[in-house]
Amino acid sequence: MRLAWAGVGCEDWGCLAPAVGVVVALTLALLAGTALALERVGVRPGRRVALTAAGVLVVLRLASEVLPSWTSQLADAATTGLVFAGAGALAAFVTEAGSPGRRRLVAALALMALLPVALATSVVRHGI
């Protein structure tokens, strides 16, 4: 987001639309590239796994808003790597045809339950 904002080249709210457009274009390009890369290495269906992993990352990112920020860049990088690996593993499990349907449903519901829990935690911690 910071790179896209710097790429647009202004620090004013009038640049919000171009900055968001650049972020959306970059996100779509990365998502398409990820789907292509997954297809090339034999992960099928690559598009579905990439979209699921992106959705998992969005949910995890929203849920992580209630966590305190790290003071160390190394800890931040390690946490980011673990979140990406976890999102990929969860996406692979949920989209795998051989996985039991009940377990996939439980994993998806547990992931969706993170959002209300994070919201409730945020309200309790910071108030409304």
Side-chain angles (χ1 to χ4, degrees), residues 30-59:
L30 287 172
L31 192 58
T34 302
L36 241 159
L38 286 171
E39 291 281 340
R40 297 270 299 180
V41 297
V43 176
R44 306 251 190 253
R47 281 178 273 166
R48 196 165 115 188
V49 174
L51 285 172
T52 304
V56 170
L57 282 172
V58 167
V59 169

Side-chain angles (χ1 to χ4, degrees), residues 1-97:
M1 190 67 167
R2 290 181 192 129
L3 289 175
W5 193 263
V8 170
C10 70
E11 297 180 17
D12 190 355
W13 280 105
C15 294
L16 185 61
V20 170
V22 168
V23 169
V24 168
L26 288 173
T27 302
L28 291 175
L30 287 172
L31 192 58
T34 302
L36 241 159
L38 286 171
E39 291 281 340
R40 297 270 299 180
V41 297
V43 176
R44 306 251 190 253
R47 281 178 273 166
R48 196 165 115 188
V49 174
L51 285 172
T52 304
V56 170
L57 282 172
V58 167
V59 169
L60 292 177
R61 173 67 177 118
L62 291 173
S64 72
E65 287 296 319
V66 299
L67 299 176
S69 61
W70 298 99
T71 57
S72 167
Q73 287 184 344
L74 183 60
D76 192 33
T79 304
T80 301
L82 286 172
V83 168
F84 272 90
L90 187 59
F93 176 74
V94 170
T95 57
E96 175 63 36

Side-chain angles (χ1 to χ4, degrees), residues 76-123:
D76 192 33
T79 304
T80 301
L82 286 172
V83 168
F84 272 90
L90 187 59
F93 176 74
V94 170
T95 57
E96 175 63 36
S99 297
R102 189 170 283 191
R103 288 189 182 167
R104 291 188 306 193
L105 179 63
V106 167
L109 290 176
L111 183 66
M112 288 295 126
L114 279 178
L115 292 177
V117 168
L119 179 63
T121 304
S122 180
V123 167

